[in-house]
Amino acid sequence: MGSLEIFCAGASIDVLPAKKVKNILVNVFGNGISKKAIMDTKRMFTYAGTEIRFQDSGGYQIYRAEQENREMTFNPDLALIRSDKAINISPKHVVETACRLQPDIMIALDFPVRKISDRGEQEREFLRKLGFNMKWAIETASLRKKYCLNVQLFIPIQCYDLDQFHLFHNSIKYMSYDGLSIPLRNLDLKEIALFLLRFHQLGVKQVHLLGSTSFFVMALSAFFARHFFEWVSLDSTTWRFMAEHQGYSNPYDLSWENIRDEVLVDENIPMICQCPFCENMTFTYIKNLPYADKVAFLRSHNFWVTEKAAEDLYANASNLLTFQRFLRNRSPKTREIDEFVDCLSLIDFFKNEDIGVLKPYFKITT
Ligand SMILES: [Zn+2]
């Protein structure tokens, strides 16, 4: 039985969801680009009493730069650069930042594959990035070994399907690393489940799911943390992003309630949230708060309920019957829950079989 950890991403010394934030995820560009950024990040860790510090690579910023047609260079001899016109990053910058920030875990540099639905295009995109991803994973691992062996290393997986994953995995299987990290933008829930099962079959003990803390992704992670891995972690900036858009996270299933000024709120809706920030509050009171106070309140509430939902999901993932009952009590999405539990029971039943056996059940043709 492993642990399930939720990481707060998008935080800064001025924008934290609580006085104490146990797990924080930072990134190379945002937190390592200058002496001031490094100092502020260290102050944030101290101020928030952070216990586990996670350093994401600059992959997401490369993804954005590519979308925005900015000039991209990967030159270790130039400085780390991020501007409106250009970015520069390399494994050397990632490891240098880790040496300065001293995180507990770091992710190797990666070149994300774009969100594409056409199969042929996906294959071309995967192959176009594969060379970078192999080279950067190997280089990051070798520099980590030399300069900061105390920092755990997770390797990001940039692909669309399991065949592509196997091709990439062949190039890293003799390398020294501590876990895998998987971005979720190109995968649905069943595909994520298959990837996680395959990681488990290959002997991987620790996994990070990048960029989502949605209810079903957390439920899936809770099940895998209870039954397959030593560690499963997730991160997202949703607590902050949704607060800025005046979204209140429902503590039961993390769905969003809009509490903008113009929304009519029924005074009879009870405040079901157990978080310390909602104590003695009403929705009308929250709705009418000045914008800055409302956003600050929502950040705190949103992150608290995300952590609590993860804790509850983990506690109830001991077996599938208990889990299904729990999920049905928490979410009205009965059909999705039943499909989800069917998926988990197949995963459990076929866990020692060739992964190909599962593909037809999951309607995955590649
Ligand atoms: Zn609350």
Side-chain angles (χ1 to χ4, degrees), residues 64-72 84-85:
R64 294 290 305 274
E66 189 183 23
Q67 278 182 329
E68 291 159 12
N69 283 324
R70 279 185 266 160
E71 188 192 343
M72 298 189 290
D84 293 343
K85 293 205 171 91

Side-chain angles (χ1 to χ4, degrees), residues 41-74:
T41 305
K42 286 181 166 174
R43 273 177 54 221
M44 171 179 75
F45 287 148
T46 308
Y47 179 78
T50 305
E51 292 171 26
I52 312 177
R53 305 159 182 208
F54 205 136
Q55 177 185 299
D56 194 3
S57 70
Y60 177 69
Q61 286 72 24
I62 296 179
Y63 179 79
R64 294 290 305 274
E66 189 183 23
Q67 278 182 329
E68 291 159 12
N69 283 324
R70 279 185 266 160
E71 188 192 343
M72 298 189 290
T73 51
F74 309 112

Side-chain angles (χ1 to χ4, degrees), residues 248 273-275 277-278 297 301 305:
Y248 176 93
C273 185
Q274 305 290 313
C275 91
F277 312 101
C278 286
F297 161 81
H301 159 85
V305 296

Side-chain angles (χ1 to χ4, degrees), residues 208-273:
H208 182 76
L209 282 74
L210 255 172
S212 173
T213 49
S214 71
F215 187 68
F216 281 97
V217 168
M218 286 216 295
L220 183 70
S221 305
F223 182 78
F224 272 91
R226 281 293 294 250
H227 303 283
F228 291 86
F229 294 113
E230 288 173 7
W231 163 289
V232 180
S233 52
L234 303 120
D235 76 274
S236 82
T237 55
T238 318
W239 60 279
R240 178 177 176 163
F241 177 82
M242 288 307 288
E244 281 156 17
H245 291 80
Q246 302 181 56
Y248 176 93
S249 182
N250 181 316
Y252 282 159
D253 62 357
L254 306 182
S255 57
W256 294 100
E257 318 285 349
N258 175 0
I259 52 166
R260 286 170 185 270
D261 301 355
E262 67 275 16
V263 171
L264 286 175
V265 174
D266 181 349
E267 268 299 319
N268 297 318
I269 297 175
M271 182 61 89
I272 51 165
C273 185

Side-chain angles (χ1 to χ4, degrees), residues 116-130:
I116 298 170
S117 50
D118 179 77
R119 272 298 302 152
E121 279 289 316
Q122 283 184 352
E123 191 65 16
R124 276 191 287 282
E125 172 74 355
F126 167 72
L127 290 172
R128 196 164 73 82
K129 308 272 172 80
L130 180 64

Side-chain angles (χ1 to χ4, degrees), residues 26-199:
V26 296
N27 71 75
V28 172
F29 281 113
N31 302 86
I33 199 147
S34 64
K35 275 187 182 159
K36 182 177 182 312
I38 288 161
M39 226 163 66
D40 285 350
T41 305
K42 286 181 166 174
R43 273 177 54 221
M44 171 179 75
F45 287 148
T46 308
Y47 179 78
T50 305
E51 292 171 26
I52 312 177
R53 305 159 182 208
F54 205 136
Q55 177 185 299
D56 194 3
S57 70
Y60 177 69
Q61 286 72 24
I62 296 179
Y63 179 79
R64 294 290 305 274
E66 189 183 23
Q67 278 182 329
E68 291 159 12
N69 283 324
R70 279 185 266 160
E71 188 192 343
M72 298 189 290
T73 51
F74 309 112
N75 187 342
D77 300 324
L78 296 178
L80 182 66
I81 300 167
R82 181 181 61 172
S83 73
D84 293 343
K85 293 205 171 91
I87 63 165
N88 182 61
I89 189 167
S90 69
K92 179 176 158 244
H93 297 107
V94 173
V95 172
E96 272 175 1
T97 306
C99 290
R100 290 172 185 144
L101 291 176
Q102 284 298 311
D104 298 279
I105 309 167
M106 65 187 283
I107 297 184
L109 186 61
D110 58 332
F111 202 155
V113 291
R114 289 171 300 153
K115 202 169 166 52
I116 298 170
S117 50
D118 179 77
R119 272 298 302 152
E121 279 289 316
Q122 283 184 352
E123 191 65 16
R124 276 191 287 282
E125 172 74 355
F126 167 72
L127 290 172
R128 196 164 73 82
K129 308 272 172 80
L130 180 64
F132 288 98
N133 284 319
M134 284 177 174
K135 183 170 180 283
W136 289 350
I138 292 164
E139 274 179 27
T140 312
S142 134
L143 290 167
R144 190 274 302 228
K145 199 172 168 189
K146 202 164 166 190
Y147 297 110
C148 52
L149 197 52
N150 57 320
V151 181
Q152 287 196 45
L153 177 67
F154 281 32
I155 304 295
I157 303 302
Q158 291 293 346
C159 61
Y160 301 93
D161 61 46
L162 283 169
D163 290 340
Q164 293 170 348
F165 165 66
H166 288 136
L167 198 58
F168 175 71
H169 183 257
N170 273 335
S171 69
I172 61 160
K173 65 182 174 190
Y174 298 114
M175 241 172 61
S176 161
Y177 63 92
D178 304 283
L180 296 180
S181 137
I182 181 156
L184 306 180
R185 72 175 70 87
N186 292 306
L187 304 172
D188 66 24
L189 207 59
K190 287 178 178 174
E191 289 168 322
I192 301 169
L194 270 194
F195 268 90
L196 292 179
L197 177 60
R198 189 65 193 129
F199 294 171

